Amino acid sequence: VLHKRTIVPLQMRTVQEAVESGAHSIAVLKGHYERCTTVTLKPGTELIGPPDADATLEATLVAGAGTVIVGLTLQLAGGAGIIVSGDAEIESCRILRNPAAGVIIDGEHRVVLTGNVIHGNRWSGLRIPGAGASIVMQRNVITGNGGYGIHVPTTKACDTAVCLRWISGELSGNVLGTTNDVLVGVAVA
C-alpha cells in the first residue's frame, strides 16, 4: 500500500493542512508551525521532523492509534504538548514549556517513548490519568516540570493498572518530586 507523503512547508503550509489533506506520512522541515491550536493526527499517521528536532509546533498534538511522532519540538501549546489517545511511538522529541502536562496518555494504549526531553511544563512531565496503559520508556529526560515527573492521578493505588517499564533515562528536578505516591500500585519493570 502506497502512503501519501506530504512535506511541510513545501507542499502544505501547516501540519494541520497536511493532516486534512489525508497524508499518512508528513515530513516537517525546520521552522515554526501552528500557534495555540490542536492538531489531531489520523490513525496511522507518521509525523517526522528533522534530525535535530528543529521543527517547532506551538500546538497540542493529539496522537491516535498507530501514530509515530519523531524529531519535533512541541512547546507553548494551548494545553499539553501531546495527548496520546491510541497506541503510539514518540521518539527524539523535545516537549517543553507547555501550560499543562508535557505528555498525557489517556486510556488503554501501548506507548513507546524513546530519547525525548520533557522539560519545563507547567504540570507533570508525563500524566497517565486512565488505567490499562502499557508504557515503555528508554533514554528519556524528564526534568524541571511544575508537577511530578510521572503522575498517575487516582484515589487509590489499586484503581490503577498501568505497566510502566523504565529502561533508562533521567527523572529529576520536578517541583512535586519524581512520582506521586500512587506509583506504589504501578508495575515498574
Side-chain angles (χ1 to χ4, degrees):
V1 174
L2 293 176
H3 294 289
K4 183 177 178 182
R5 174 168 281 201
T6 300
I7 301 173
V8 175
L10 299 179
Q11 295 166 306
M12 298 286 169
R13 215 169 30 97
T14 67
V15 174
Q16 185 64 50
E17 286 178 9
V19 169
E20 289 171 0
S21 78
H24 292 285
S25 181
I26 302 169
V28 183
L29 302 180
K30 181 177 180 175
H32 281 73
Y33 305 94
E34 271 84 9
R35 292 199 184 256
C36 295
T37 61
T38 298
V39 177
T40 301
L41 301 175
K42 294 180 180 176
T45 300
E46 292 181 338
L47 184 60
I48 312 295
D52 58 1
D54 208 9
T56 300
L57 281 106
E58 293 182 9
T60 296
L61 280 182
V62 178
T67 301
V68 177
I69 302 169
V70 179
L72 295 173
T73 296
L74 301 148
Q75 67 180 14
L76 305 172
I82 301 174
I83 299 172
V84 179
S85 61
D87 295 357
E89 295 179 28
I90 302 167
E91 181 179 340
S92 302
C93 290
R94 294 183 298 187
I95 304 157
L96 312 169
R97 299 184 307 274
N98 293 291
V103 178
I104 297 174
I105 299 172
D106 194 15
E108 298 179 16
H109 309 297
R110 185 181 185 288
V111 180
V112 179
L113 295 139
T114 306
N116 300 290
V117 174
I118 304 171
H119 176 79
N121 298 287
R122 183 168 292 156
W123 297 356
S124 296
L126 175 63
R127 184 174 166 89
I128 313 163
S134 175
I135 303 159
V136 176
M137 301 185 73
Q138 185 171 0
R139 298 186 326 273
N140 295 286
V141 175
I142 303 176
T143 61
N145 296 289
Y148 295 101
I150 299 172
H151 185 203
V152 182
T154 186
T155 56
K156 299 178 193 169
C158 60
D159 289 344
T160 306
V162 173
C163 178
L164 174 63
R165 185 166 180 228
W166 179 273
I167 296 172
S168 63
E170 180 182 347
L171 183 61
S172 66
N174 298 288
V175 172
L176 296 179
T178 303
T179 63
N180 60 317
D181 292 338
V182 76
L183 281 179
V184 171
V186 176
V188 179

